[in-house]
């Protein structure tokens, strides 16, 4: 058989068998062997029942390869909470932010709609709102590049469209086709949700049941009174998310702050699956006035006072009391670092009540103290993960059900 005859025969056999599956049909087929092994281990752990559940192996929190896979499979495809809508309050308002190295600006048009636009000028790649010279928040009629003064519109369906490019008349240049890339944005309970994937399904339908659990609080109308960011925290993003998704650590990390009034051991973790979870911690001594995050505390969990915690994977947790709430957002900045942004909110009108200024001082101090306690924990965990020989997988408590659920979420998204 000649080479040409062999090729013809192979082609005929392939046609008879139908089209071959592309190599990328198995998502991890092109991944390095070490990454494939980790993904296989994640699938195995996620299949275990909670009663036999174990933590992820240490390398899942230190591997650069897994981190890059998470960025591509989760953070560039999932809905991420990035702000409160009130941070962009009126037409022309903007909020500068960076998400996974992507420079963005959130703007509001004359009809009240939000837009998420690239901050990179289409001329020579300059940051349109460089942090060296531009406030994080502000109000503009148009975006103007500080490099060569190209300008971009912010109104309605023309948001991001080039408006002006000085001294470009002598070259062949398509002005009409020049536009800043836009990304999808939705508002959920007053929070701005961003997705870098143009093909992603809408965020709202998947959060409908969570909406019902939060409906009595009407969080969408609440007012932010304090926001603080901790940048470059030296721990993998999953360490921080897991810490913020269970109250088991109250008895240790927060023994002198949260646990006396919100005992972790009393937490009731609700039966959930998928990308969100809830749990409720009753107050131990409601007559003493709560946690310091509000004048009194409670929940829609019947008539019992306490704190309702709602989490949305991969990077958002909300702790709700009837007269105050705290939201926490995490964004990875590398395999072993992340940023944490915490916002305190209160119902409308509360900031105008007598004595609130003094109360706000207490809120700020309490948030800082609790976060510093959490930073000791997440930094300590990250050091433990890097130890040699590597520690073995730990076992979950029933109070760590959200972490077990988080594994299932990761296994689905990273497969």
């Amino acid at each position: 058989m000649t080479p040409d005859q062999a090729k013809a025969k192979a082609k005929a056999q392939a046609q008879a068998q139908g089209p071959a599956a592309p190599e990328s049909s198995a998502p991890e087929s092109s991944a390095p062997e070490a990454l494939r092994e980790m993904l296989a281990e994640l699938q195995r752990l996620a299949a275990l029942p909670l009663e036999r559940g174990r933590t992820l192996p240490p390398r899942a929190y230190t591997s650069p390869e897994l981190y890059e896979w998470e960025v591509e499979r989760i953070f560039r495809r999932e809905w991420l909470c990035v702000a409160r809508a009130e941070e962009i309050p009126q037409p022309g308002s903007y909020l500068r932010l960076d998400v996974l190295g992507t420079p963005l600006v959130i703007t509001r048009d004359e009809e009240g709609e939000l837009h998420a636009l690239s901050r990179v000028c289409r001329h020579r790649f300059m940051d349109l709102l460089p942090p060296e010279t531009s406030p994080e928040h502000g109000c503009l009629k148009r975006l103007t590049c500080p490099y060569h003064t190209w300008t971009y519109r912010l109104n309605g369906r023309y948001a991001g469209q080039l408006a002006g490019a000085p001294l470009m008349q002598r070259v062949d240049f398509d002005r009409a086709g020049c536009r800043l890339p836009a990304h999808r944005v939705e508002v959920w309970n007053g929070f701005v949700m961003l997705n870098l994937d143009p093909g992603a399904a809408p965020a709202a339908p998947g959060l409908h049941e969570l909406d019902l659990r939060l409906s009595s609080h009407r969080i969408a109308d609440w007012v932010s009174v304090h926001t603080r960011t901790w940048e470059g925290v030296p721990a993998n993003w999953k360490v921080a998310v897991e810490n913020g998704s269970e109250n088991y650590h109250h008895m240790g990390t927060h023994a002198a702050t949260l646990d006396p009034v919100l005992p972790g051991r009393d937490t009731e973790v609700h039966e959930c699956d998928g990308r969100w979870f809830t749990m409720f911690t009753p107050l131990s001594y409601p007559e003493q006035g709560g946690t310091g995050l509000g004048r009194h505390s409670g929940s829609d969990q019947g008539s019992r006072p306490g704190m309702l915690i709602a989490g949305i994977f991969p990077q958002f947790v909300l702790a709700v009391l009837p007269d105050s709430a705290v939201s926490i957002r995490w964004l990875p900045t590398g395999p072993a670092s992340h940023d944490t942004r915490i916002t305190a909110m209160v119902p409308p009108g509360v900031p105008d009540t007598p004595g609130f200024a003094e109360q706000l001082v207490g809120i700020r101090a309490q948030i800082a103290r609790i976060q510093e306690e959490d930073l000791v924990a997440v930094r300590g965990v990250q050091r433990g993960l890097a130890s040699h020989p590597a520690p073995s997988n730990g076992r979950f408590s029933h109070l760590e059900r959200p972490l077990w659920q988080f594994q299932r979420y990761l296994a689905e998204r990273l497969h």
Side-chain angles (χ1 to χ4, degrees):
M1 182 181 295
T2 67
D4 289 343
Q5 289 173 328
K7 287 182 181 180
K9 181 177 180 181
K11 181 178 180 180
Q13 290 175 339
Q15 290 175 341
Q17 293 171 355
E23 289 187 19
S24 60
S25 62
E28 59 270 33
S29 62
S30 60
E33 182 178 355
L35 176 56
R36 292 199 300 270
E37 290 176 356
M38 272 189 287
L39 295 174
E41 175 69 358
L42 173 57
Q43 297 294 327
R44 185 188 71 81
L45 291 171
L48 294 174
L50 176 60
E51 298 75 25
R52 292 167 48 207
R54 293 181 175 273
T55 62
L56 296 174
R59 63 184 183 277
Y61 302 90
T62 59
S63 165
E65 293 81 10
L66 181 60
Y67 170 71
E68 293 298 330
W69 195 261
E70 292 166 342
V71 168
E72 292 303 318
R73 303 288 296 186
I74 295 177
F75 286 94
R76 294 197 183 282
R77 302 186 185 189
E78 188 64 275
W79 288 96
L80 307 175
C81 181
V82 295
R84 284 287 290 176
E86 62 187 289
E87 295 182 73
I88 315 101
Q90 62 193 37
S93 295
Y94 76 85
L95 170 66
R96 186 189 69 235
L97 70 158
D98 293 86
V99 179
L100 299 159
T102 302
L104 299 172
V105 58
I106 308 293
T107 66
R108 190 179 294 276
D109 66 25
E110 69 278 5
E111 296 181 355
E113 295 297 317
L114 295 179
H115 303 268
L117 302 173
S118 168
R119 236 174 45 231
V120 179
C121 183
R122 307 305 283 170
H123 174 220
R124 292 263 300 281
F125 322 118
M126 176 63 183
D127 189 340
L128 296 171
L129 294 167
E132 294 88 348
T133 57
S134 305
E136 182 181 26
H137 302 80
C139 196
L140 296 169
K141 290 185 177 180
R142 289 183 176 180
L143 281 173
T144 300
C145 179
Y147 201 10
H148 298 95
T149 67
W150 285 31
T151 57
Y152 300 88
R153 299 173 67 173
L154 297 178
N155 52 314
R157 63 190 180 93
Y158 298 105
Q161 180 69 48
L162 181 71
L167 306 178
M168 292 294 291
Q169 296 86 351
R170 298 184 183 182
V171 296
D172 184 7
F173 173 52
D174 181 14
R175 290 170 177 262
C178 186
R179 191 167 193 160
L180 297 174
H183 302 282
R184 297 177 59 192
V185 65
E186 292 186 18
V187 177
W188 174 82
N189 278 288
F191 292 97
V192 179
M193 308 292 285
L194 170 78
N195 201 311
L196 300 177
D197 179 6
L207 299 174
H208 176 67
E209 292 297 324
L210 181 56
D211 285 335
L212 297 179
R213 299 195 183 194
L214 292 171
S215 60
S216 63
H217 296 279
R218 300 180 181 178
I219 294 294
D221 300 325
W222 286 29
V223 181
S224 299
V225 293
H226 174 61
T227 295
R228 182 174 171 184
T229 301
W230 285 261
E231 296 182 343
V233 178
N236 181 267
W237 69 277
K238 296 189 295 299
V239 172
V241 170
E242 290 175 344
N243 179 76
S245 300
E246 51 92 349
N247 290 347
Y248 186 24
H249 72 287
H250 279 199
M251 64 185 69
T253 300
H254 305 302
T257 50
L258 291 177
D259 205 55
V261 289
L262 291 164
R265 64 178 60 84
D266 295 337
T267 298
E268 302 166 14
V269 183
H270 302 145
E271 294 286 331
C272 302
D273 205 356
R275 69 169 304 211
W276 61 266
F277 68 88
T278 56
M279 55 188 176
F280 174 75
T281 304
L283 268 168
S284 179
Y285 303 108
E287 70 277 8
Q288 293 186 2
T291 65
L293 300 179
R295 290 171 296 176
H296 64 277
S297 301
S299 165
D300 58 354
Q301 188 89 4
S303 60
R304 294 179 299 161
M307 179 168 64
L308 178 68
I309 291 184
I312 303 176
F313 301 133
Q315 47 79 256
F316 175 72
V317 163
L318 178 67
V320 187
L321 305 133
D323 62 354
S324 63
V326 172
S327 68
I328 310 177
R329 309 192 297 272
W330 299 277
L331 277 178
T333 55
S337 65
H338 69 273
D339 293 343
T340 300
R341 191 170 181 89
I342 299 179
T343 297
M345 299 172 291
V346 296
V350 170
D352 301 322
T353 58
F356 181 75
E358 293 77 12
Q359 184 185 350
L360 182 57
V361 171
I363 290 175
R364 289 173 172 169
Q366 185 78 335
I367 287 175
R369 183 178 180 186
I370 293 171
Q371 173 63 3
E372 288 302 322
E373 293 171 345
D374 280 325
L375 288 176
V376 172
V378 299
R379 289 192 293 247
V381 168
Q382 193 69 32
R383 287 194 298 270
L385 291 165
S387 63
H388 297 280
S392 59
N393 302 51
R395 290 296 300 272
F396 286 141
S397 159
H398 70 282
L399 294 176
E400 295 171 298
R401 188 185 195 280
L403 277 61
W404 171 78
Q405 185 179 337
F406 185 40
Q407 282 186 357
R408 295 159 64 87
Y409 167 85
L410 291 172
E412 179 183 347
R413 295 303 195 271
L414 296 176
H415 179 64

